Amino acid sequence: MAAVILEARGLTKTFGGLRAVDGVDFDLRRGEIHALIGPNGAGKTTFVSLLCGRIAPSSGTIRFEGRDITRLPAHARVRLGIAYTFQITSIFPRLTAFENVAIAAQRLGSRGCEARARAVLERVGIAAEAGARAGDLSYGHQRLVEIAMGLALEPRLLILDEPTQGLANAEVDRFAALIEGLAGGATILLIEHNMDLVMRLAERITVLDGGTKLAEGAPEAIRADPAVRAAYLGG
């Protein structure tokens, strides 16, 4: 079994009287594709926002590669190798697709960021759009620019929040092939409603419901779990 790259223990986030995330224990194994699923309002986005440092937990701990990062801000976690793409696009609309990705690459502080930006745009299948203003691209292509920005950071952990939202079927297939190609080299946490894609890509799945962990396991076990079927999958 692969070593654990990230672990959360007792992770909790309250907003007033609401417990959006309630005492969740969670492990990510190095090099795996791990999916996080659950009904709307289950706490998925709050949970990954805690992992990437966008918000601070009310209680609990997070460790990344053995280091306590519970109170580290998001930008410090990026430097450690954690990249997070948002559920809603977070590009610079007035800049070109290439400039968006090059800016992300520059955050590594190393040379060759322009070459890396071009290579990543090619990898996600939108090299032809490199010179286009990002704000003028289709929503699906804007999502691909954002994924390219995440990849340009050369992360050890890539968190993808609803990455296929707005993508055409052919683009979803290309995305799946991209993620399969990344497997092993980076750990990927995928928050996704497309269950066919989740079942295709994920080695393990965690199900949240009401801010708590309802189930966790291999895709076939999750698909057969009565509690998961009742809360989310239906039937």
Side-chain angles (χ1 to χ4, degrees), residues 32-114:
E32 77 171 332
I33 301 173
H34 192 123
L36 182 68
I37 67 171
N40 290 333
K44 302 184 299 297
T45 295
T46 300
F47 180 70
V48 296
S49 294
L50 294 170
L51 297 184
C52 73
R54 292 184 67 211
I55 59 176
S58 302
S59 61
T61 60
I62 307 168
R63 300 184 70 84
F64 181 67
E65 295 190 320
R67 174 177 176 174
D68 189 332
I69 63 168
T70 308
R71 299 299 168 187
L72 277 185
H75 65 86
R77 299 188 199 196
V78 169
R79 287 198 295 269
L80 291 178
I82 300 174
Y84 175 42
T85 69
F86 297 91
Q87 186 175 17
I88 301 171
T89 52
S90 56
I91 59 172
F92 300 101
R94 295 181 181 274
L95 301 182
T96 66
F98 170 79
E99 289 168 338
N100 271 271
V101 180
I103 286 172
Q106 286 174 352
R107 296 183 71 174
L108 292 178
S110 59
R111 296 180 180 180
C113 62
E114 291 187 4

Side-chain angles (χ1 to χ4, degrees), residues 4-8 26-28 51 62-65 82 157:
V4 171
I5 188 172
L6 180 143
E7 62 178 38
F26 180 75
D27 290 337
L28 279 175
L51 297 184
I62 307 168
R63 300 184 70 84
F64 181 67
E65 295 190 320
I82 300 174
L157 170 58

Side-chain angles (χ1 to χ4, degrees), residues 109-233:
S110 59
R111 296 180 180 180
C113 62
E114 291 187 4
R116 186 162 62 252
R118 290 192 177 90
V120 171
L121 286 167
E122 180 74 35
R123 193 170 191 183
V124 302
I126 54 171
E129 313 291 345
R133 280 203 341 168
D136 295 335
L137 296 174
S138 69
Y139 181 75
H141 280 188
Q142 289 180 21
R143 297 310 311 270
L144 292 173
V145 170
E146 191 188 30
I147 291 168
M149 292 168 69
L151 292 175
L153 294 168
E154 299 180 352
R156 290 189 283 280
L157 170 58
L158 178 61
I159 302 174
L160 299 169
D161 195 350
E162 299 289 351
T164 65
Q165 187 177 28
L167 298 188
N169 288 338
E171 291 171 329
V172 172
D173 289 340
R174 187 183 303 124
F175 168 80
L178 170 67
I179 296 304
E180 287 170 336
L182 293 172
T187 302
I188 297 167
L189 177 59
L190 177 68
I191 301 89
E192 180 58 64
H193 281 293
N194 184 329
M195 291 308 300
D196 289 338
L197 184 69
V198 167
M199 294 298 173
R200 170 181 169 178
L201 292 177
E203 299 164 51
R204 290 193 300 147
I205 299 172
T206 297
V207 186
L208 291 185
D209 187 29
T212 64
K213 187 163 70 173
L214 178 63
E216 187 172 83
E220 57 272 16
I222 294 299
R223 192 191 296 273
D225 190 303
V228 175
R229 294 181 67 85
Y232 185 57
L233 298 181

Side-chain angles (χ1 to χ4, degrees), residues 14-43:
T14 59
F15 297 99
L18 172 67
R19 282 182 173 255
V21 176
D22 189 3
V24 173
D25 292 342
F26 180 75
D27 290 337
L28 279 175
R29 299 171 186 163
R30 190 180 304 277
E32 77 171 332
I33 301 173
H34 192 123
L36 182 68
I37 67 171
N40 290 333

